[in-house]
Amino acid sequence: MAELSYDAAADVVRGRWSSDGGPAAAEIEIEVDGAAWSRIAGFDAPDGGGIREFHCSLAPVAQPTRSVVAAFAGGELLGRIDVLRRPLRNAHGLAAAEVLATDHHPFSALPWVSLGDAKLGLNGMHLPPEGDPSKLSVEFGDGVAYAVQSGLPSPDYRSHYWYWPNSDFAGFILTVDLAASARDSDPFHFRFVYRSGGNKGAGKRPIDVWLPPNFSSFVGFPADPSLMQRVQTWSNAATSATTGYNAYKTLEALFARSGVLQESNPRILDWGCGHGRIARHFIDASPGARVFGTDVDAENVDWCRTHLGPDRFQLSPLWPPTGFPDAFFDGIFGVSVMTHLTADAQHAWLEELARILRPGGVGLITFQAEGSAAFGSSWRDCAWWDRWNATGFDDGQIDSALEGKISEPTYYRNTTQSRDDVLERWGRFFEVSAIEPAIFGGYQDCAVLRKRAQP
Amino acid sequence: MTEPVADISMGDDDTIRGPLPGDCGTRVSVFCDGVRWAGVPVATDDAGRSTFACQLEPLPEPRKTAVEVRDAAGERVLSRSVMQRTRRTNEYGLAAHDVYRLGHPPLTALPWVGFDGVRLTIGGGHLPPRGDPSSLGVRFDSPGVVHTFTYPLRSPGWEDVYWYWPNAANSNLLLAIDLPASPSEADPFHFEFVETRDGDARKLSDVWIPSDLRAFLNFTSDVSRIDRVLKGNDPFSIVLPSYLHFRYLEEQFARFGIVDGAGIRLLDWGCGVGRLSAHFIRTWRQAEIRGTDIDAANVDWCRTSLGRERFEVAPLWPPTGYPAASFDGVFGVSVMTHLTAEAQAAWLRELARVLKPGGIALLTFAGTAGTAVGSRWRSASWWAAYSARGFDAETHDRALDGFIDDPDYYRHTGQTRANVRATWSAHFDVLEMIDAAFGNQDLAVLRRR
């Protein structure tokens, strides 16, 4: 039998047992009050001697709650403990239960792609759905030979995703055996699928992920890493290539659904192009499309002009207007742009985007919604959270990524807004035909905007 | 000039070895009778001393050679001695000189490709051109491709197979191409091996890397199927070589105007696991690609995996069911290398029948390099007889035992260029022969009259 303990500060149940004469099971099933809660990995204890350990977060509670937690290995009872569960709070007193109540998609970080032995290796992170690593599954189309390891340790995730139960089991490795996959299969597209079950009801909508099927997607990125890090914090050429391609495919699918790419030679604008990580794929893959890009970051625009085409890219002012004629574009996309603008700047730019988009044209504009507010909650206090819940909008935090690169030091923000806020404010300029939750890596939402026909 | 310090010795394998002064750099040059022979890397032994090893050019007769070891630039002499040299032979008395003097191109094998998210790495081996590891380099067409080429590395086993080739033990290579650091407009997926001598770089061969990852799809995972086609290979190691062979075939066909197009028909004669057909099917979207093989299990796999209508089992002896004059091109890679003279003649007649007039057949054969590679097991008398006759198909190849009816059918066949010209020209115009175009096999470019 295992010796179970409850760590009230972390809201975690821990177990220790001897595999000598006891089960050495790799996977431990945890039940709370008789209901299945989570399946997590068991480990060899660092002190050795055939001792095994596990640790498992419980679902955050709002009030102190008595529960019975039981651990099983292969159906066999390992141990049982009575616990008085304590509400988990961050350093500023915000309760995890409150953050988790937003019921958002689990965050995922796009995989790092490698190749060896004709196998693609895809490494990444995905928060365990509903705190249960076994509820994450990965589905490829027919004919793809692949293997999935998930629920792997991710100790670094614990502090940032402090409110998400078992966020330290977010690692996954997918191995796609290309040589064993069928000729007409597509090993470069998969979905994260969330098994429903337990006591939380239906799983979340699947998230599609696309991988670059050609090494050419990795060729030619800025030699100065700061150019990339201004666009995506922590990024490098490898992650920019993968996330850029995935964003392109996601946008392509949304544009296709709206009919934009079916037109002959559509004009597409990458608003906030950065170093062209997305625009480059539209340029390569849609020879008929006339692809333009603009950004407030002059160095990145320069890089794009030199490497991706001088006529396509131009520097954007911080405030409209741009030099583009009225009704010029059939489609505009802006990934991680509104996420950096104040309410005033959003207003001004929505007006400008509506001006340069043709009637019937489509804008795909991402924003940081409820999920993003939760992801950033480790440094939020109760007052901030209450205000956010009341207003659904926050642009108070300055983002220093473009410091020294743009003329207004307080221009660039870290902006979060609710779906309702987008429906209301953006709806003044566009018909909001859909909001796609968590469609970019389970992180940013995307609003599908259509410019209304002229009255 | 400082006095020579190194104490050099000569081994049975015609290799000079010895310790070097610590300041001699990363490479030394070896001169024989005053002529530069090779540049070899400086290694560090277990005791932390700098050492080197360099095999000398095989001699027809024993004699003395004045050997100098100098620094890489050839300026500072590190050692000077006169060595008594032997006539190096294999254990059956065949002289290395007799094989090496035939002068086949330095062979290369590139079975390994990997990617770490940034660097695309190609690994394998390349015999040192003319025995000199310091002369091999790579060259990209496009300026600015950021890469590092590491060569030579130790290549265990190569000195056994390529026993006659000097410094074959130093044949391994790693080429790492930094994709993000290379300019967007560059093509980092094509390079050439070059031999640099006296400042001039001469192209040895082209290498194309499949940038489309779909090129890696759909090789059988049953290793035994592959092993019957390419000895000692697995699903992974056939990907890059197969892609290279496909590109060579494509290039050769293009010279005769045979490119993808409606109505164009190609036959993969001896398709095996479809390793070449797969690339044609994937990229030649309009042409009709057909394949046939005597190995029914492999044809079955091709029919299931690459298209039922495209593949059929071939009889051991013609005819096939293909209509006369129905193909623009036929390729047969590693097929003639397994047939007796009688079977070769029968199949040449059949291939001429199914080709359209003016159609092109690209057939590989085990010529100079192919025979040299197997010479480890050959005696001096076998070699003399083969050299006189120009043809040998006496050795049975057991690879298809149990897969075909006639256990005597499948052979290891070697033949000289002269033999190919004399015998195959009865059925085709022999337009050209290209040395070591497909691994160690030569290519005959044939046209139906």
Side-chain angles (χ1 to χ4, degrees):
Chain A
M1 289 292 278
E3 176 191 318
L4 266 52
S5 61
Y6 177 64
D7 174 349
D11 195 24
V12 162
V13 168
R14 301 179 195 281
R16 251 174 98 81
W17 75 101
S18 168
S19 61
D20 186 21
E27 224 178 35
I28 311 296
E29 306 116 51
I30 303 296
E31 272 186 18
V32 177
D33 297 328
W37 158 241
S38 189
R39 298 169 69 93
I40 37 87
F43 301 96
D44 285 329
D47 44 351
I51 303 295
R52 301 273 294 167
E53 291 184 348
F54 75 84
H55 62 272
C56 181
S57 311
L58 302 182
V61 289
Q63 301 297 328
T65 307
R66 279 216 171 274
S67 288
V68 177
V69 177
F72 298 85
E76 187 184 331
L77 182 69
L78 264 183
R80 201 186 294 275
I81 187 174
D82 267 310
V83 298
L84 177 60
R85 296 159 68 186
R86 297 287 183 178
L88 180 67
R89 294 182 186 279
N90 72 5
H92 309 283
L94 179 60
E98 236 183 292
V99 176
L100 205 59
T102 49
D103 194 26
H104 53 273
H105 260 79
F107 173 82
S108 59
L110 267 176
W112 182 284
V113 179
S114 61
L115 178 81
D117 290 339
K119 293 185 175 79
L120 270 185
L122 314 168
N123 292 34
M125 297 289 186
H126 193 299
L127 290 176
E130 298 170 5
D132 181 355
S134 71
K135 283 190 183 143
L136 177 64
S137 68
V138 170
E139 289 179 3
F140 283 85
D142 290 344
V144 180
Y146 64 99
V148 184
Q149 292 167 271
S150 58
L152 303 176
S154 57
D156 297 351
Y157 265 40
R158 177 60 105 178
S159 62
H160 194 75
Y161 300 98
W162 63 282
Y163 64 95
W164 190 281
N166 291 317
S167 58
D168 47 354
F169 291 104
F172 70 84
I173 299 173
L174 309 184
T175 307
V176 182
D177 188 340
L178 295 177
S181 296
R183 175 174 57 95
D184 50 1
S185 68
D186 182 1
F188 308 105
H189 172 220
F190 67 86
R191 302 180 122 188
F192 286 119
V193 177
Y194 310 107
R195 291 197 197 101
S196 59
N199 47 10
K200 290 270 293 194
K204 291 269 182 293
R205 199 175 73 167
I207 295 283
D208 286 284
V209 179
W210 286 273
L211 308 162
N214 198 304
F215 284 127
S216 60
S217 294
F218 294 88
V219 177
F221 281 83
D224 175 355
S226 74
L227 265 66
M228 288 183 274
Q229 283 151 14
R230 290 211 294 278
V231 175
Q232 292 170 291
T233 319
W234 310 121
S235 70
N236 56 34
T239 61
S240 296
T242 317
T243 60
Y245 184 80
N246 185 58
Y248 153 68
K249 291 295 285 185
T250 306
L251 294 164
E252 188 198 37
L254 291 175
F255 272 138
R257 211 172 70 190
S258 316
V260 168
L261 293 176
Q262 285 87 325
E263 289 165 43
S264 64
N265 308 320
R267 286 201 195 96
I268 306 285
L269 175 64
D270 181 348
W271 177 53
C273 59
H275 54 86
R277 68 191 181 99
I278 303 172
R280 58 160 56 210
H281 297 292
F282 275 99
I283 293 169
D284 288 349
S286 319
R290 288 163 292 177
V291 180
F292 297 83
T294 189
D295 204 292
V296 297
D297 180 343
E299 284 173 28
N300 264 322
V301 170
D302 267 358
W303 190 90
C304 289
R305 290 171 64 89
T306 307
H307 294 95
L308 302 174
D311 306 330
R312 298 176 184 278
F313 295 90
Q314 50 181 269
L315 185 60
S316 169
L318 296 183
W319 297 89
T322 62
F324 297 114
D326 290 359
F328 188 68
F329 291 106
D330 300 284
I332 297 177
F333 61 89
V335 176
S336 299
V337 183
M338 288 303 200
T339 56
H340 295 293
L341 301 185
T342 60
D344 284 352
Q346 284 200 357
H347 187 280
W349 277 107
L350 285 164
E351 200 167 21
E352 174 71 356
L353 297 180
R355 180 183 73 77
I356 61 180
L357 198 59
R358 70 158 171 78
V362 170
L364 302 174
I365 310 292
T366 71
F367 61 100
Q368 299 194 103
E370 285 80 356
S372 303
F375 299 147
S377 63
S378 67
W379 56 80
R380 302 300 190 191
D381 57 22
C382 299
W384 186 93
W385 194 260
D386 290 345
R387 200 162 57 241
W388 154 248
N389 274 338
T391 62
F393 192 88
D394 178 67
D395 62 2
Q397 189 190 346
I398 292 180
D399 182 332
S400 59
L402 291 186
E403 212 170 83
K405 304 295 173 187
I406 55 174
S407 55
E408 278 181 46
T410 59
Y411 181 84
Y412 211 59
R413 304 294 176 108
N414 189 347
T415 304
T416 313
Q417 59 202 123
S418 69
R419 286 171 201 133
D420 287 345
D421 181 85
V422 164
L423 284 171
E424 196 222 307
R425 293 193 207 216
W426 300 12
R428 293 176 205 156
F429 299 90
F430 294 95
E431 174 197 326
V432 182
S433 33
I435 286 180
E436 301 290 340
I439 196 164
F440 289 89
Y443 173 52
Q444 292 188 16
D445 290 17
C446 183
V448 181
L449 310 175
R450 195 178 281 275
K451 184 176 172 185
R452 298 183 183 98
Q454 303 291 33
Chain B
M1 188 181 289
T2 52
E3 274 305 294
V5 292
D7 179 21
I8 305 305
S9 64
M10 164 69 75
D12 293 343
D13 52 357
D14 209 17
T15 298
I16 55 168
R17 294 180 174 82
L20 292 167
D23 62 347
C24 59
T26 58
R27 203 169 74 197
V28 290
S29 300
V30 173
F31 284 68
C32 292
D33 297 327
V35 179
R36 187 179 184 281
W37 157 243
V40 292
V42 173
T44 306
D45 70 8
D46 293 343
R49 289 169 307 190
S50 296
T51 63
F52 81 103
C54 180
Q55 198 169 34
L56 304 184
E57 184 168 15
L59 293 177
E61 298 300 335
R63 65 172 162 83
K64 284 191 161 57
T65 301
V67 176
E68 275 182 1
V69 181
R70 303 188 194 176
D71 64 2
E75 283 158 11
R76 178 179 158 211
V77 178
L78 305 169
S79 161
R80 188 181 284 136
S81 48
V82 174
M83 298 287 181
Q84 177 58 49
R85 313 231 350 248
T86 55
R87 172 176 174 271
R88 191 157 65 88
T89 66
N90 69 7
E91 57 184 301
Y92 305 98
L94 175 59
H97 175 77
D98 285 342
V99 182
Y100 184 61
R101 74 183 171 85
L102 297 179
H104 68 69
L107 300 177
T108 183
L110 296 172
W112 202 85
V113 52
F115 180 63
D116 67 1
V118 173
R119 277 171 303 271
L120 186 58
T121 304
I122 306 299
H126 193 299
L127 288 174
R130 293 185 236 190
D132 178 3
S134 68
S135 69
L136 185 69
V138 296
R139 182 168 68 191
F140 286 82
D141 292 340
S142 336
V145 174
V146 177
H147 64 278
T148 53
F149 179 57
T150 311
Y151 181 86
L153 297 165
R154 293 285 304 159
S155 50
W158 281 56
E159 71 273 31
D160 298 328
V161 177
Y162 303 103
W163 66 280
Y164 57 93
W165 192 282
N167 292 313
N170 280 314
S171 289
N172 273 2
L173 65 87
L174 270 182
L175 173 63
I177 307 164
D178 187 330
L179 296 184
S182 300
S184 328
E185 56 279 9
D187 176 7
F189 307 112
H190 172 231
F191 67 89
E192 297 167 350
F193 281 115
V194 292
E195 178 185 6
T196 304
R197 202 161 280 273
D198 305 323
D200 291 331
R202 184 176 69 93
K203 172 175 159 178
L204 294 169
S205 61
D206 286 290
V207 178
W208 289 275
I209 304 161
S211 66
D212 186 344
L213 283 156
R214 291 193 174 89
F216 293 82
L217 283 180
N218 194 215
F219 286 86
T220 173
S221 50
D222 177 348
V223 174
S224 74
R225 288 182 195 285
I226 294 170
D227 200 54
R228 294 207 294 278
V229 177
L230 284 166
K231 197 89 200 127
N233 276 276
D234 55 40
F236 178 47
S237 64
I238 72 171
V239 172
L240 190 53
S242 300
Y243 182 77
L244 273 176
H245 291 178
F246 155 70
R247 291 295 299 256
Y248 289 133
L249 289 170
E250 222 182 15
E251 211 183 33
Q252 290 299 325
F253 278 131
R255 288 171 59 199
F256 302 97
I258 302 172
V259 295
D260 185 25
I264 293 290
R265 280 168 54 88
L266 287 189
L267 177 63
D268 181 351
W269 176 53
C271 59
V273 285
R275 66 188 187 98
L276 301 170
S277 284
H279 292 297
F280 278 105
I281 291 167
R282 183 173 58 83
T283 58
W284 289 39
R285 307 300 295 191
Q286 299 177 64
E288 283 178 50
I289 311 297
R290 294 290 177 270
T292 190
D293 203 292
I294 57 175
D295 179 340
N298 268 331
V299 169
D300 255 6
W301 188 87
C302 289
R303 285 170 62 85
T304 308
S305 311
L306 297 170
R308 192 150 297 280
E309 71 292 352
R310 293 194 174 101
F311 296 89
E312 49 195 81
V313 178
L316 296 185
W317 296 91
T320 62
Y322 299 114
S326 60
F327 287 103
D328 300 274
V330 173
F331 56 92
V333 176
S334 299
V335 184
M336 287 305 210
T337 55
H338 295 291
L339 301 184
T340 60
E342 196 190 354
Q344 283 197 354
W347 278 107
L348 286 165
R349 226 176 355 258
E350 174 68 358
L351 296 181
R353 182 185 73 79
V354 302
L355 271 177
K356 296 174 186 171
I360 296 293
L362 303 173
L363 303 181
T364 69
F365 61 98
T368 304
T371 317
V373 167
S375 64
R376 176 188 179 189
W377 314 107
R378 300 302 190 184
S379 65
S381 59
W382 183 94
W383 192 261
Y386 171 76
S387 302
R389 207 170 55 244
F391 188 90
D392 178 72
E394 294 306 304
T395 312
H396 284 75
D397 183 335
R398 301 278 166 226
L400 291 186
D401 272 12
F403 290 93
I404 55 175
D405 295 334
D406 179 356
D408 282 340
Y409 184 82
Y410 211 59
R411 306 294 179 104
H412 284 296
T413 306
Q415 59 202 124
T416 59
R417 275 181 172 225
N419 176 273
V420 166
R421 197 170 286 285
T423 57
W424 296 12
S425 59
H427 309 276
F428 285 96
D429 286 334
V430 180
L431 301 181
E432 194 182 351
M433 282 185 266
I434 303 169
D435 275 339
F438 288 76
N440 59 45
Q441 297 183 15
D442 296 357
L443 178 72
V445 181
L446 312 171
R447 182 160 59 200
R448 185 185 162 185
R449 297 186 186 102

